[in-house]
Each structure stands twice: as C-alpha cells, then as structure tokens.
Amino acid sequence: PPAAADEVRDRQYWLEDFGVLDAWEITRGSGVTIAIIDTGVDSTHQDLQGAVIGGRDVSGLGTADGQLPVGPNFEHGTMVASLAAGRGRDGEAGVIGTAPEANVLSVSMSFEGTSIPADQQIADGVVWAVDNGADVISLSLTRNTREWPVSWDEAFRYAEANDVVVV
C-alpha cells in the first residue's frame, strides 16, 4: 500500500507483513474487550481515545481505575494497549492496533515499590478482568524465574472456565 500520512504508521510494517490488514476483512475487534495487565494504560494517549473503558490498580501505587501508569517502565502498558487496540487518528496517522475496534481494560501492576507480591497482583488482575468483561487478557511481562505460582493456576483456571483467553 502507499505510504501513510504519518511516519509512525509507516513504521508499522507488521500490519501488512503479518496479515493484519487481511484479518481486518473478517474483524477489527468490534465487541471484544482486551484486559492489559501491565504498568497501566494512559487513556488520554492520542491513539487510544475511546479505547479504554475501565480498569483497576492491583499494585497499590496507581489510581483506582488503573489508568495512571506505575513502575519504572510505566509507559509499557500504554504501548501494549496501542499495539492491541490503538485507534490511530485522522485515518492514516498514529498507532493503529491489530484490533482497533476492541475495548481495553487497564490493570496496573508493578514489580517494584509495592508490598503486594507481583504474582498476587497478576492473579488478582486476571480474576478482576474476567469479572469485568474481558474476552482476552494480555500479560506482556516476565518474572525472570522458572517457578510457577499456584495463585496463577487458580486465576488461569477461572479465566478458562469463563471462556477468557490469556495471552
């Protein structure tokens, strides 16, 4: 396709290379809610206008709605949300996600600066997301350990029992 009107959109090679544009012929994510369990999603970001429909902070560091990014890499959750459900702007500018018509739930968590263990934050976030309408839960994080927390087994089983996909 011809170059877009915006260098940010021009750099999104995966839209064509990975078949996202073809997938849009079937769906653009309308009616799907994606929970982003990460540092929090800044709902005021210009490419996410109207995408974030709710949220929660499970770290004890952010705002109750999970929309104040927390932690040392606080921008990560907003980036993940934009790649998933970014709306772009003006038709051909800004970041557009793989599912630009999907809604986002922001669950802010942090590996640092809180007394709540990260594994528990993640489990709590998964359960909250399921209870609040998530169809898909995104966990774009690493724990840097091979150990598997039991709390995750329970949370992931709960998601599965409610037909929620955890990625």
Side-chain angles (χ1 to χ4, degrees):
D6 175 84
E7 100 177 42
V8 170
R9 181 72 57 86
D10 285 343
R11 291 193 312 248
Q12 288 190 265
Y13 64 87
W14 55 86
L15 294 174
E16 186 172 350
D17 291 0
F18 297 165
V20 173
L21 299 177
D22 293 333
W24 286 350
E25 293 176 20
I26 298 168
T27 183
R28 293 173 59 92
S30 180
V32 175
T33 299
I34 304 168
I36 308 291
I37 300 177
D38 207 298
T39 60
V41 178
D42 178 359
S43 63
T44 66
H45 189 281
Q46 61 189 354
D47 295 332
L48 289 168
Q49 295 300 303
V52 182
I53 60 168
R56 177 175 182 211
D57 173 64
V58 293
S59 72
L61 301 173
T63 54
D65 65 5
Q67 295 172 39
L68 173 68
V70 299
N73 298 311
F74 64 89
E75 69 283 341
H76 192 264
T78 301
M79 180 201 64
V80 171
S82 69
L83 293 175
R87 305 284 203 251
R89 57 192 180 287
D90 303 325
E92 294 294 322
V95 177
I96 191 159
T98 56
E101 294 177 8
N103 292 316
V104 171
L105 293 173
S106 174
V107 180
S108 58
M109 56 90 50
S110 181
F111 287 100
E112 297 177 24
T114 178
S115 62
I116 304 167
D119 292 342
Q120 189 60 52
Q121 292 177 63
I122 292 164
D124 291 347
V126 167
V127 170
W128 182 89
V130 170
D131 288 346
N132 285 273
D135 299 295
V136 177
I137 297 172
S138 170
L139 294 168
S140 178
L141 51 87
T142 181
R143 296 170 52 254
N144 293 321
T145 180
R146 293 180 186 188
E147 296 176 19
W148 185 265
V150 174
S151 63
W152 284 20
D153 287 337
E154 296 166 9
F156 292 173
R157 266 195 294 273
Y158 185 66
E160 179 184 29
N162 286 279
D163 295 322
V164 178
V165 176
V166 179
V167 180

